[in-house]
Amino acid sequence: MAWFKRDTRRRATAATIAGAAAGVALALLGMGTFATHAAAAGSLGSAAAQSGRYFGTAVPTAKLGDPAYSTILDREFGMITPENEMKWDTTEPSRGSFNFGPADQIVSHAAAHGQKMRGHTLVWYQQLPGWVSGLSASDLQSAMDNHITQEMTHFKGKIYAWDVVNEAFADDGSGQHRSSPFQDKLGNGFIEHAFRTARSVDANAKLCYNDYNIENWTDAKTQGVYNMVKDFKSRGVPIDCVGFQSHFGAGGPPSSFQTTLSNFAALGVDVQITELDIAQAPASAYANTVNACLHVARCTGITVWGIRDSDSWRSGDNPLLFDSSGNPKPAYTSVLNALNAATGTTTGGTTDGGTTSGTTNGGTTSGTTSGTTDGGTTSGTTDGGSSTGGAGGGACTATYSTTNSWSGGYQGEVKITAGSAAISGWTVRWTLSGGQSITQVWNGTLTTSGSTTTVANASYNGSLQPAASTTFGFLANGSPSTPSLTCTGS
Ligand code: XIL
């Protein structure tokens, strides 16, 4: 096919490509036919950009040297997600030994071609090196904090959005978190902790939660993630976006997909389609998926999980927009047309349509702004099992560490570990040093009486299996000092 080799560029100039050979849809869109109309764009990236969105793809380092591949990549896509290169098994294969080389190559390619980057992913139970799951709870917490800190610091300023936590919810219809080394040892609070750590490292990158099978609104898994995001927004936990992987069967997205996107967006987060592929790539299923996003103002971009069918992790399904020879498939044309039909707006664009029909949680909102403060200000996190705060109560122990400090304030974390029996609730009490006051607590409920501070479990992290742990965090005025903690289990 001749037409895809033409330099169709990604941005608005693409519509000037007229003239050249056959090119069915593109020639039609690019010619004078629409001369007085806003010019239809000739690539996925430039078409999406017309409504303020991006169109991206997953990229493995190994393919960058394939000219047929990189030609399509640079012509069509304005956002890149490393397919595997930012995952833990590649970036920290042994503890404290970091390897950013493969991802750096992708980042360099993106910088050279004006593409943005999505960071994928910091905390995920898969593609996790064996040493991580062998750690004790306290060591795992330190390792997780360090991993997030090192990786985000290395790529700081180069990443548009991070998938901070990937696939933390179960598929079993429970709507609960799935079992994982993080969940099993750190408890429910690990997700919140990861987001707070991420914000303290990079205040500018968007912080996303990413998962699959959360596209159908009524599914328990969707509701579980929705309730987590709602809770995070209501308490100021820093979360900016939710990624819907969208690995679909041949039927494409569930009919409620737009409702789901819209309902999440109403919580005050951006939403994105992050890993789209559809078995057999029916043109209509692709168009339906793209339109669901285009109809929601805060759906800011779409990423397909690979370029050619031969690049797909589901290669037997031929689920992508280009065939194995690099020719655009019918789904490509349907996606391009859908993106072009959404033009005419320059900002986050399009309507939204307010579709909230049939929602259960309805009117939530909270309209909170993204990029909440957190207070994770300044000075590099120290963390690391500094100090212990004593124990007590018999049923649980509590240890304290300072996670951050700055002039006039600090951020502390308390880890609660159940004893040899399971507990269904906990309370940690300590006396604040003179002049100190607590300004915020997360993953716990604060009561103060004079200088006596009491933090009880939140609704979701009171139950701990024998020897299992959870954490709560707090911000305080004054200087950090190691408190003497008393933990009481119930
Ligand atoms: C996949 C990659 O495409 C494969 O190359 C790798 O072998 C396994 O992981 N959800 C995710 C992605 O978040 O990281 C996964 O990527 C696909 C499912």
Side-chain angles (χ1 to χ4, degrees):
M1 289 285 284
W3 74 261
F4 77 89
K5 291 187 179 147
R6 291 173 302 171
D7 176 12
T8 51
R9 280 166 273 270
R10 286 177 304 103
R11 311 249 172 246
T13 54
T16 61
I17 340 150
V24 193
L26 277 186
L28 178 65
L29 293 168
M31 304 277 281
T33 320
F34 294 91
T36 58
H37 189 275
S43 75
L44 301 169
S46 54
Q50 292 172 110
S51 67
R53 296 180 172 84
Y54 66 80
F55 205 96
T57 187
V59 170
T61 308
K63 299 227 165 110
L64 289 174
D66 171 353
Y69 177 89
S70 57
T71 298
I72 306 174
L73 169 63
D74 299 333
R75 185 187 68 219
E76 299 287 343
F77 299 98
M79 177 74 75
I80 291 177
T81 306
E83 187 167 355
N84 291 299
E85 291 77 358
M86 289 185 176
K87 295 173 183 174
W88 201 317
D89 58 353
T90 297
T91 55
E92 196 184 3
S94 58
R95 189 168 188 179
S97 176
F98 289 89
N99 170 29
F100 297 123
D104 282 343
Q105 290 183 48
I106 299 177
V107 173
S108 298
H109 181 102
H113 296 87
Q115 291 144 329
K116 291 186 181 170
M117 291 291 308
R118 187 178 183 96
H120 175 82
T121 175
L122 296 167
V123 180
W124 185 27
Y125 75 100
Q126 288 198 26
Q127 292 177 269
L128 188 66
W131 66 265
V132 179
S133 42
L135 300 178
S136 68
S138 61
D139 236 7
L140 177 61
Q141 184 71 81
S142 303
M144 188 182 99
D145 289 349
N146 190 49
H147 183 76
I148 292 170
T149 303
Q150 299 296 328
E151 182 158 355
M152 289 188 77
T153 300
H154 179 82
F155 293 111
K156 200 167 178 175
K158 297 170 180 165
I159 305 293
Y160 160 78
W162 275 104
D163 290 331
V164 177
V165 176
N166 197 36
E167 300 183 355
F169 277 74
D171 293 308
D172 58 7
S174 66
Q176 301 297 310
H177 296 178
R178 71 166 69 240
S179 171
S180 74
F182 306 106
Q183 177 68 27
D184 299 348
K185 290 187 181 143
L186 306 178
N188 281 347
F190 90 88
I191 303 178
E192 170 168 358
H193 185 92
F195 276 86
R196 291 192 184 273
T197 303
R199 177 67 92 227
S200 75
V201 178
D202 188 340
N204 296 319
K206 288 188 179 292
L207 307 181
C208 307
Y209 176 79
N210 193 55
D211 214 330
Y212 66 94
N213 282 355
I214 57 168
E215 293 84 10
N216 185 29
W217 174 243
T218 54
D219 283 358
K221 189 172 177 181
T222 308
Q223 292 297 309
V225 175
Y226 177 86
N227 287 326
M228 176 188 76
V229 175
K230 184 177 167 190
D231 170 56
F232 279 14
K233 294 304 288 184
S234 73
R235 292 186 298 109
V237 179
I239 183 168
D240 305 313
C241 32
V242 176
F244 297 78
Q245 292 186 9
S246 306
H247 295 294
F248 293 135
S255 57
S256 63
F257 190 28
Q258 183 181 322
T259 297
T260 303
L261 292 172
S262 185
N263 288 346
F264 272 82
L267 292 175
V269 289
D270 289 342
V271 293
Q272 290 122 10
I273 294 173
T274 52
E275 303 183 12
L276 178 61
D277 49 21
I278 308 180
Q280 312 314 327
S284 58
Y286 259 102
N288 290 341
T289 307
V290 169
N291 281 323
C293 176
L294 294 173
H295 291 155
V296 176
R298 286 196 78 164
C299 185
T300 57
I302 298 165
T303 292
V304 287
W305 205 242
I307 298 179
R308 303 164 301 193
D309 285 333
S310 51
D311 302 319
S312 174
W313 72 311
R314 304 169 61 183
S315 58
D317 285 343
N318 296 320
L320 296 174
L321 299 178
F322 293 85
D323 69 21
S324 296
S325 304
N327 301 312
K329 294 160 62 177
Y332 171 90
T333 308
S334 73
V335 168
L336 184 66
N337 289 346
L339 294 169
N340 273 318
T343 61
T345 51
T346 47
T347 64
T350 60
T351 49
D352 178 339
T355 49
T356 25
S357 59
T359 56
T360 53
N361 276 299
T364 49
T365 60
S366 92
T368 356
T369 54
S370 56
T372 41
T373 50
D374 177 337
T377 38
T378 63
S379 79
T381 34
T382 43
D383 184 41
S386 52
S387 71
T388 65
C396 57
T397 57
T399 55
Y400 167 83
S401 61
T402 300
T403 41
N404 204 351
S405 65
W406 53 92
S407 176
Y410 67 98
Q411 178 179 337
E413 179 174 281
V414 174
K415 184 167 83 159
I416 299 95
T417 305
S420 55
I423 57 174
S424 56
W426 47 262
T427 303
V428 176
R429 185 171 293 115
W430 73 100
T431 305
L432 277 178
S433 302
Q436 292 192 4
S437 62
I438 300 227
T439 56
Q440 191 184 341
V441 168
W442 54 92
N443 286 344
T445 311
L446 173 70
T447 318
T448 49
S449 169
S451 60
T452 302
T453 302
T454 306
V455 176
N457 59 274
S459 59
Y460 50 83
N461 64 0
S463 293
L464 293 175
Q465 294 302 307
S469 299
T470 190
T471 60
F472 70 85
F474 64 90
L475 297 177
N477 296 320
S479 309
S481 58
T482 302
S484 179
L485 305 173
T486 303
C487 188
T488 310
S490 58

